[in-house]
Short mmCIF file of all heavy atoms in Angstrom, two decimals:
data_model
loop_
_atom_site.label_atom_id
_atom_site.label_comp_id
_atom_site.label_asym_id
_atom_site.label_seq_id
_atom_site.Cartn_x
_atom_site.Cartn_y
_atom_site.Cartn_z
N GLU A 453 -6.84 -14.31 3.10
CA GLU A 453 -8.00 -13.63 3.70
C GLU A 453 -8.42 -14.22 5.06
O GLU A 453 -8.95 -13.43 5.87
CB GLU A 453 -9.19 -13.66 2.72
CG GLU A 453 -8.99 -12.81 1.50
CD GLU A 453 -7.93 -13.36 0.54
OE1 GLU A 453 -7.85 -14.59 0.38
OE2 GLU A 453 -7.18 -12.55 -0.02
N PRO A 454 -8.37 -15.50 5.35
CA PRO A 454 -7.80 -16.58 4.55
C PRO A 454 -8.85 -17.24 3.65
O PRO A 454 -10.01 -17.37 4.03
CB PRO A 454 -7.31 -17.57 5.61
CG PRO A 454 -8.26 -17.38 6.75
CD PRO A 454 -8.66 -15.93 6.73
N SER A 455 -8.40 -17.62 2.46
CA SER A 455 -9.29 -18.29 1.52
C SER A 455 -9.53 -19.74 1.95
O SER A 455 -8.63 -20.40 2.47
CB SER A 455 -8.65 -18.25 0.13
OG SER A 455 -9.50 -18.82 -0.83
N ASP A 456 -10.76 -20.20 1.75
CA ASP A 456 -11.14 -21.57 2.08
C ASP A 456 -12.12 -22.02 1.00
O ASP A 456 -13.22 -21.47 0.88
CB ASP A 456 -11.79 -21.62 3.46
CG ASP A 456 -12.30 -23.00 3.85
OD1 ASP A 456 -12.10 -23.96 3.07
OD2 ASP A 456 -12.90 -23.13 4.93
N PHE A 457 -11.74 -23.00 0.19
CA PHE A 457 -12.59 -23.43 -0.91
C PHE A 457 -13.91 -24.05 -0.43
O PHE A 457 -14.84 -24.20 -1.21
CB PHE A 457 -11.85 -24.43 -1.79
CG PHE A 457 -10.67 -23.84 -2.52
CD1 PHE A 457 -9.72 -24.68 -3.09
CD2 PHE A 457 -10.51 -22.47 -2.64
CE1 PHE A 457 -8.62 -24.14 -3.78
CE2 PHE A 457 -9.43 -21.92 -3.31
CZ PHE A 457 -8.48 -22.76 -3.88
N VAL A 458 -13.99 -24.45 0.83
CA VAL A 458 -15.24 -24.99 1.36
C VAL A 458 -16.29 -23.89 1.42
O VAL A 458 -17.46 -24.10 1.06
CB VAL A 458 -15.02 -25.60 2.76
CG1 VAL A 458 -16.34 -26.02 3.39
CG2 VAL A 458 -14.09 -26.80 2.67
N ASP A 459 -15.88 -22.71 1.87
CA ASP A 459 -16.84 -21.61 2.03
C ASP A 459 -16.08 -20.29 2.10
O ASP A 459 -15.41 -20.01 3.08
CB ASP A 459 -17.66 -21.81 3.31
CG ASP A 459 -18.69 -20.71 3.53
OD1 ASP A 459 -18.80 -19.81 2.66
OD2 ASP A 459 -19.37 -20.74 4.56
N GLN A 460 -16.19 -19.49 1.05
CA GLN A 460 -15.43 -18.24 1.02
C GLN A 460 -15.99 -17.17 1.94
O GLN A 460 -15.34 -16.17 2.19
CB GLN A 460 -15.39 -17.70 -0.42
CG GLN A 460 -14.66 -18.60 -1.40
CD GLN A 460 -13.16 -18.64 -1.17
OE1 GLN A 460 -12.66 -18.13 -0.17
NE2 GLN A 460 -12.43 -19.25 -2.08
N THR A 461 -17.19 -17.36 2.47
CA THR A 461 -17.75 -16.35 3.37
C THR A 461 -17.13 -16.39 4.76
O THR A 461 -17.27 -15.46 5.54
CB THR A 461 -19.26 -16.54 3.53
OG1 THR A 461 -19.53 -17.76 4.25
CG2 THR A 461 -19.95 -16.58 2.18
N GLY A 462 -16.45 -17.50 5.09
CA GLY A 462 -15.89 -17.66 6.42
C GLY A 462 -16.76 -18.47 7.36
O GLY A 462 -16.35 -18.74 8.49
N LYS A 463 -17.96 -18.85 6.93
CA LYS A 463 -18.85 -19.58 7.83
C LYS A 463 -18.26 -20.92 8.27
O LYS A 463 -18.50 -21.37 9.39
CB LYS A 463 -20.20 -19.81 7.15
CG LYS A 463 -21.05 -18.55 7.00
CD LYS A 463 -21.52 -18.03 8.35
CE LYS A 463 -22.46 -16.85 8.20
NZ LYS A 463 -22.89 -16.31 9.52
N ASN A 464 -17.46 -21.52 7.41
CA ASN A 464 -16.80 -22.77 7.80
C ASN A 464 -15.81 -22.56 8.94
O ASN A 464 -15.40 -23.52 9.59
CB ASN A 464 -16.08 -23.37 6.58
CG ASN A 464 -15.44 -24.71 6.87
OD1 ASN A 464 -16.05 -25.57 7.51
ND2 ASN A 464 -14.22 -24.90 6.40
N GLN A 465 -15.44 -21.31 9.15
CA GLN A 465 -14.45 -20.99 10.19
C GLN A 465 -15.07 -20.30 11.41
O GLN A 465 -14.35 -19.83 12.29
CB GLN A 465 -13.36 -20.09 9.58
CG GLN A 465 -12.71 -20.69 8.35
CD GLN A 465 -11.77 -19.74 7.64
OE1 GLN A 465 -10.86 -19.21 8.25
NE2 GLN A 465 -11.99 -19.51 6.36
N MET A 466 -16.40 -20.24 11.45
CA MET A 466 -17.05 -19.44 12.48
C MET A 466 -16.62 -19.81 13.89
O MET A 466 -16.41 -18.94 14.75
CB MET A 466 -18.57 -19.56 12.36
CG MET A 466 -19.32 -18.65 13.33
SD MET A 466 -21.10 -18.90 13.31
CE MET A 466 -21.49 -18.31 11.67
N ASP A 467 -16.44 -21.10 14.15
CA ASP A 467 -16.11 -21.52 15.51
C ASP A 467 -14.61 -21.74 15.71
O ASP A 467 -14.19 -22.36 16.69
CB ASP A 467 -16.87 -22.79 15.88
CG ASP A 467 -16.49 -23.99 15.02
OD1 ASP A 467 -15.89 -23.77 13.94
OD2 ASP A 467 -16.77 -25.13 15.43
N VAL A 468 -13.80 -21.22 14.79
CA VAL A 468 -12.35 -21.29 14.96
C VAL A 468 -11.91 -20.28 16.01
O VAL A 468 -12.34 -19.12 16.01
CB VAL A 468 -11.63 -21.02 13.62
CG1 VAL A 468 -10.13 -20.87 13.84
CG2 VAL A 468 -11.93 -22.13 12.63
N VAL A 469 -11.05 -20.73 16.91
CA VAL A 469 -10.61 -19.90 18.04
C VAL A 469 -9.12 -19.58 17.88
O VAL A 469 -8.32 -20.45 17.53
CB VAL A 469 -10.85 -20.61 19.38
CG1 VAL A 469 -10.30 -19.79 20.54
CG2 VAL A 469 -12.34 -20.87 19.57
N SER A 470 -8.77 -18.33 18.13
CA SER A 470 -7.37 -17.90 18.15
C SER A 470 -7.00 -17.47 19.56
O SER A 470 -7.84 -16.95 20.31
CB SER A 470 -7.13 -16.75 17.18
OG SER A 470 -7.37 -17.15 15.85
N TYR A 471 -5.75 -17.65 19.90
CA TYR A 471 -5.27 -17.31 21.25
C TYR A 471 -5.50 -15.83 21.57
O TYR A 471 -6.02 -15.48 22.63
CB TYR A 471 -3.79 -17.65 21.38
CG TYR A 471 -3.18 -17.22 22.69
CD1 TYR A 471 -3.52 -17.84 23.89
CD2 TYR A 471 -2.27 -16.17 22.73
CE1 TYR A 471 -2.97 -17.42 25.10
CE2 TYR A 471 -1.71 -15.75 23.94
CZ TYR A 471 -2.07 -16.37 25.11
OH TYR A 471 -1.52 -15.95 26.29
N ASP A 472 -5.12 -14.94 20.66
CA ASP A 472 -5.41 -13.51 20.76
C ASP A 472 -5.04 -12.92 22.12
O ASP A 472 -5.88 -12.35 22.82
CB ASP A 472 -6.90 -13.27 20.47
CG ASP A 472 -7.22 -11.80 20.26
OD1 ASP A 472 -6.29 -11.00 20.02
OD2 ASP A 472 -8.41 -11.44 20.35
N GLU A 473 -3.75 -13.07 22.46
CA GLU A 473 -3.24 -12.49 23.72
C GLU A 473 -4.01 -12.99 24.94
O GLU A 473 -4.18 -12.26 25.92
CB GLU A 473 -3.30 -10.97 23.67
CG GLU A 473 -2.52 -10.34 22.52
CD GLU A 473 -1.02 -10.40 22.74
OE1 GLU A 473 -0.50 -9.58 23.51
OE2 GLU A 473 -0.36 -11.26 22.13
N GLY A 474 -4.48 -14.23 24.89
CA GLY A 474 -5.18 -14.82 26.02
C GLY A 474 -6.67 -14.66 26.00
O GLY A 474 -7.38 -15.24 26.84
N GLU A 475 -7.21 -13.92 25.02
CA GLU A 475 -8.66 -13.71 24.98
C GLU A 475 -9.39 -14.91 24.39
O GLU A 475 -10.59 -15.09 24.64
CB GLU A 475 -8.96 -12.46 24.14
CG GLU A 475 -10.42 -12.03 24.17
CD GLU A 475 -10.65 -10.76 23.39
OE1 GLU A 475 -9.82 -9.83 23.49
OE2 GLU A 475 -11.67 -10.67 22.69
N ASN A 476 -8.69 -15.74 23.61
CA ASN A 476 -9.29 -16.91 22.96
C ASN A 476 -10.55 -16.52 22.18
O ASN A 476 -11.64 -17.05 22.39
CB ASN A 476 -9.61 -18.01 23.98
CG ASN A 476 -8.34 -18.55 24.62
OD1 ASN A 476 -7.36 -18.81 23.94
ND2 ASN A 476 -8.35 -18.71 25.94
N SER A 477 -10.36 -15.58 21.28
CA SER A 477 -11.48 -15.03 20.52
C SER A 477 -11.70 -15.82 19.24
O SER A 477 -10.85 -16.59 18.79
CB SER A 477 -11.21 -13.57 20.20
OG SER A 477 -9.96 -13.41 19.55
N THR A 478 -12.86 -15.61 18.63
CA THR A 478 -13.26 -16.41 17.49
C THR A 478 -12.91 -15.72 16.17
O THR A 478 -12.43 -14.59 16.12
CB THR A 478 -14.77 -16.68 17.52
OG1 THR A 478 -15.47 -15.44 17.39
CG2 THR A 478 -15.17 -17.37 18.82
N HIS A 479 -13.23 -16.45 15.09
CA HIS A 479 -12.94 -15.99 13.74
C HIS A 479 -13.61 -14.65 13.44
O HIS A 479 -13.09 -13.85 12.66
CB HIS A 479 -13.42 -17.04 12.75
CG HIS A 479 -12.94 -16.83 11.35
ND1 HIS A 479 -11.62 -17.00 10.99
CD2 HIS A 479 -13.60 -16.47 10.22
CE1 HIS A 479 -11.49 -16.76 9.68
NE2 HIS A 479 -12.67 -16.43 9.19
N ALA A 480 -14.75 -14.38 14.06
CA ALA A 480 -15.45 -13.14 13.82
C ALA A 480 -14.57 -11.93 14.12
O ALA A 480 -14.65 -10.90 13.44
CB ALA A 480 -16.72 -13.07 14.68
N LYS A 481 -13.72 -12.05 15.11
CA LYS A 481 -12.82 -10.97 15.46
C LYS A 481 -11.50 -11.04 14.69
O LYS A 481 -10.89 -10.01 14.40
CB LYS A 481 -12.52 -10.98 16.96
CG LYS A 481 -11.61 -9.85 17.40
CD LYS A 481 -11.25 -9.92 18.88
CE LYS A 481 -10.32 -8.76 19.24
NZ LYS A 481 -9.80 -8.90 20.61
N ASN A 482 -11.05 -12.24 14.37
CA ASN A 482 -9.67 -12.41 13.90
C ASN A 482 -9.50 -12.56 12.39
O ASN A 482 -8.37 -12.49 11.91
CB ASN A 482 -9.06 -13.63 14.60
CG ASN A 482 -8.89 -13.39 16.09
OD1 ASN A 482 -8.22 -12.46 16.50
ND2 ASN A 482 -9.55 -14.22 16.89
N ARG A 483 -10.57 -12.75 11.65
CA ARG A 483 -10.42 -12.93 10.21
C ARG A 483 -9.70 -11.75 9.58
O ARG A 483 -8.75 -11.92 8.81
CB ARG A 483 -11.77 -13.12 9.54
CG ARG A 483 -11.66 -13.30 8.02
CD ARG A 483 -13.02 -13.43 7.36
NE ARG A 483 -12.91 -13.68 5.93
CZ ARG A 483 -12.79 -14.87 5.37
NH1 ARG A 483 -12.75 -15.95 6.13
NH2 ARG A 483 -12.70 -15.01 4.06
N ASN A 484 -10.11 -10.55 9.90
CA ASN A 484 -9.57 -9.37 9.22
C ASN A 484 -8.12 -9.06 9.60
O ASN A 484 -7.45 -8.31 8.88
CB ASN A 484 -10.44 -8.14 9.52
CG ASN A 484 -11.74 -8.17 8.73
OD1 ASN A 484 -11.84 -8.82 7.70
ND2 ASN A 484 -12.75 -7.47 9.23
N VAL A 485 -7.62 -9.63 10.69
CA VAL A 485 -6.22 -9.39 11.07
C VAL A 485 -5.32 -10.58 10.75
O VAL A 485 -4.12 -10.52 11.00
CB VAL A 485 -6.08 -9.02 12.57
CG1 VAL A 485 -6.81 -7.72 12.87
CG2 VAL A 485 -6.57 -10.14 13.47
N PHE A 486 -5.88 -11.64 10.17
CA PHE A 486 -5.09 -12.84 9.88
C PHE A 486 -3.90 -12.50 8.97
O PHE A 486 -2.76 -12.85 9.24
CB PHE A 486 -5.98 -13.89 9.24
CG PHE A 486 -5.27 -15.17 8.88
CD1 PHE A 486 -5.15 -16.20 9.79
CD2 PHE A 486 -4.71 -15.35 7.61
CE1 PHE A 486 -4.50 -17.38 9.47
CE2 PHE A 486 -4.04 -16.51 7.28
CZ PHE A 486 -3.94 -17.53 8.21
N ALA A 487 -4.17 -11.81 7.87
CA ALA A 487 -3.10 -11.51 6.91
C ALA A 487 -2.09 -10.53 7.49
O ALA A 487 -0.89 -10.61 7.19
CB ALA A 487 -3.70 -10.94 5.62
N LEU A 488 -2.55 -9.58 8.30
CA LEU A 488 -1.64 -8.64 8.95
C LEU A 488 -0.63 -9.40 9.80
O LEU A 488 0.58 -9.11 9.76
CB LEU A 488 -2.44 -7.67 9.83
CG LEU A 488 -1.64 -6.77 10.77
CD1 LEU A 488 -0.86 -5.73 9.98
CD2 LEU A 488 -2.56 -6.09 11.79
N LEU A 489 -1.10 -10.39 10.56
CA LEU A 489 -0.21 -11.12 11.45
C LEU A 489 0.66 -12.11 10.69
O LEU A 489 1.81 -12.36 11.07
CB LEU A 489 -1.03 -11.84 12.53
CG LEU A 489 -1.77 -10.89 13.48
CD1 LEU A 489 -2.63 -11.67 14.46
CD2 LEU A 489 -0.80 -10.00 14.22
N GLU A 490 0.16 -12.65 9.59
CA GLU A 490 1.01 -13.50 8.74
C GLU A 490 2.15 -12.66 8.16
O GLU A 490 3.31 -13.08 8.14
CB GLU A 490 0.20 -14.11 7.61
CG GLU A 490 1.04 -15.01 6.71
CD GLU A 490 0.44 -15.24 5.34
OE1 GLU A 490 -0.37 -14.42 4.89
OE2 GLU A 490 0.81 -16.24 4.70
N ALA A 491 1.82 -11.44 7.68
CA ALA A 491 2.85 -10.56 7.13
C ALA A 491 3.86 -10.19 8.21
O ALA A 491 5.07 -10.12 7.95
CB ALA A 491 2.22 -9.31 6.53
N ARG A 492 3.38 -9.95 9.41
CA ARG A 492 4.29 -9.63 10.51
C ARG A 492 5.24 -10.79 10.78
O ARG A 492 6.47 -10.59 10.92
CB ARG A 492 3.49 -9.31 11.77
CG ARG A 492 4.36 -9.09 13.00
CD ARG A 492 3.53 -8.73 14.21
NE ARG A 492 4.35 -8.67 15.41
CZ ARG A 492 3.89 -8.29 16.61
NH1 ARG A 492 2.63 -7.92 16.75
NH2 ARG A 492 4.69 -8.26 17.65
N ALA A 493 4.70 -12.01 10.83
CA ALA A 493 5.55 -13.19 11.08
C ALA A 493 6.60 -13.33 9.98
O ALA A 493 7.77 -13.64 10.25
CB ALA A 493 4.68 -14.44 11.15
N THR A 494 6.19 -13.10 8.74
CA THR A 494 7.11 -13.22 7.61
C THR A 494 8.19 -12.15 7.67
O THR A 494 9.38 -12.43 7.51
CB THR A 494 6.33 -13.13 6.29
OG1 THR A 494 5.29 -14.11 6.28
CG2 THR A 494 7.25 -13.35 5.10
N TYR A 495 7.77 -10.92 7.92
CA TYR A 495 8.71 -9.80 7.96
C TYR A 495 9.75 -10.01 9.06
O TYR A 495 10.96 -9.88 8.83
CB TYR A 495 7.94 -8.51 8.19
CG TYR A 495 8.79 -7.26 8.12
CD1 TYR A 495 8.97 -6.58 6.92
CD2 TYR A 495 9.43 -6.76 9.26
CE1 TYR A 495 9.75 -5.44 6.84
CE2 TYR A 495 10.23 -5.63 9.19
CZ TYR A 495 10.38 -4.97 7.99
OH TYR A 495 11.17 -3.85 7.91
N GLU A 496 9.28 -10.34 10.25
CA GLU A 496 10.20 -10.51 11.37
C GLU A 496 11.12 -11.71 11.16
O GLU A 496 12.29 -11.69 11.56
CB GLU A 496 9.41 -10.63 12.67
CG GLU A 496 8.71 -9.32 13.04
CD GLU A 496 7.76 -9.45 14.24
OE1 GLU A 496 7.48 -10.61 14.65
OE2 GLU A 496 7.29 -8.41 14.74
#
Side-chain angles (χ1 to χ4, degrees):
E453 291 70 38
S455 183
D456 176 4
F457 294 164
V458 173
D459 181 2
Q460 296 290 9
T461 68
K463 288 292 185 182
N464 184 44
Q465 304 172 55
M466 185 186 293
D467 64 342
V468 171
V469 176
S470 297
Y471 174 70
D472 192 17
E473 302 287 282
E475 188 177 319
N476 295 316
S477 54
T478 65
H479 192 70
K481 181 183 179 188
N482 294 301
R483 179 182 183 88
N484 285 337
V485 297
F486 180 89
L488 170 69
L489 295 177
E490 181 200 23
R492 175 178 174 176
T494 305
Y495 186 91
E496 292 173 349

